[in-house]
Amino acid sequence: MTHPKPRSIIHHMMNNAPGPPPTHTKTPPATHTNNPPAVHAKNLTVTRGPRTVLRNLAFTVPRGQITGLLGPSGCGKSTLMRATVGTQAKVTGTLDVLGHPAGHPTLRTRIGYVTQAPSVYDDLTVRQNLDYFAAILDPGRPAADRRHDNVTRAIADVDLTTHADALAGNLSGGQRNRVSLAVALLGTPELLVLDEPTVGLDPVLRRDLWTLFHDIAASRGATLLVSSHVMDEAERCHRLLLMREGELLADDTPEALRTRTGADTVEEAFLHLVDEAEAAADTRETKR
Ligand SMILES: Nc1ncnc2c1ncn2[C@@H]1O[C@H](COP(=O)(O)OP(=O)(O)OP(=O)(O)O)[C@@H](O)[C@H]1O
């Protein structure tokens, strides 16, 4: 007897679109044209200890798309994500998320946030982990059926149905990352903030996750803000925020960045922009 295959976004996408995911150089139409952008920042500055780690940032993250936050280690990606989800202290300037100031209580259920360290309980199974977080998000006996459906769907979304009863502690690093992502998907968030979700994953898993991100954006109209320091992942985003040392070098589509700098890849474009920024800084210095 053959069992029906569990519904899985990853399989669904792979069956319909074999090969690598599209690089999506064209910007799709925004799905909530009358709504405020997912994120709007102006004069955004963050200090950590004695250091200014984000300096005067201004950018807009449109809805319904994948915006990549790219830059070298230590440039401030995690700090920007923490500020966006409202967990970062000493934030000044404007930072509006889904039309509210970052950290506003109404945003709690509208944002999913996955940090770099998978936040799952090793001594619980995948389903028990999800049940636990679902009970916090949507408590009470009357919501039991809805919780069960949401948990089943979130597990299927990250392609872990066959591992639902496995202890999280016995999963691979990539699978544990996907449990964290499933937790973030539980409340069907409008904005998903994913901090280096593919770090340490093999190329196949990385490709599968990016396929999943595109499916989440396309099928739910969700906005994804995804950080990475791997420049080839930039090509998979609709838009890019390129960062260096707490400052924004660019806020554009991968295609526009390549065209503007005459580069073949986003990595080359990034290096070009770094050189340009350093030359501009030198000019300012010699004029003093
Ligand atoms: N608690 C802290 N006190 C002072 N400085 C900090 C603190 N935490 C981080 N920083 C500094 O803030 C800067 C930005 O850190 P952040 O973690 O945002 O960078 P990142 O781009 O996410 O790096 P990575 O890719 O390695 O995760 C770094 O230079 C870091 O040293």
Side-chain angles (χ1 to χ4, degrees), residues 2 39 60 75 98 171 211-212 216 251:
T2 54
V39 184
T60 298
C75 71
L98 303 170
L171 299 177
T211 304
L212 172 62
I216 291 167
D251 171 7

Side-chain angles (χ1 to χ4, degrees), residues 210-223:
W210 277 98
T211 304
L212 172 62
F213 299 158
H214 276 277
D215 195 54
I216 291 167
S219 65
R220 302 183 185 187
T223 306

Side-chain angles (χ1 to χ4, degrees), residues 48-51 53 71-80 116 195-196 229:
R48 294 184 85 161
R51 296 190 47 205
V53 297
S73 181
C75 71
K77 301 181 296 293
S78 299
T79 305
L80 180 52
Q116 281 184 31
D195 198 350
E196 305 229 14
H229 58 259

Side-chain angles (χ1 to χ4, degrees), residues 24-45:
H24 287 264
T25 50
K26 286 201 182 107
T27 303
T31 47
H32 305 266
T33 42
N34 295 326
N35 286 350
V39 184
H40 172 67
K42 207 173 149 194
N43 298 329
L44 174 67
T45 295

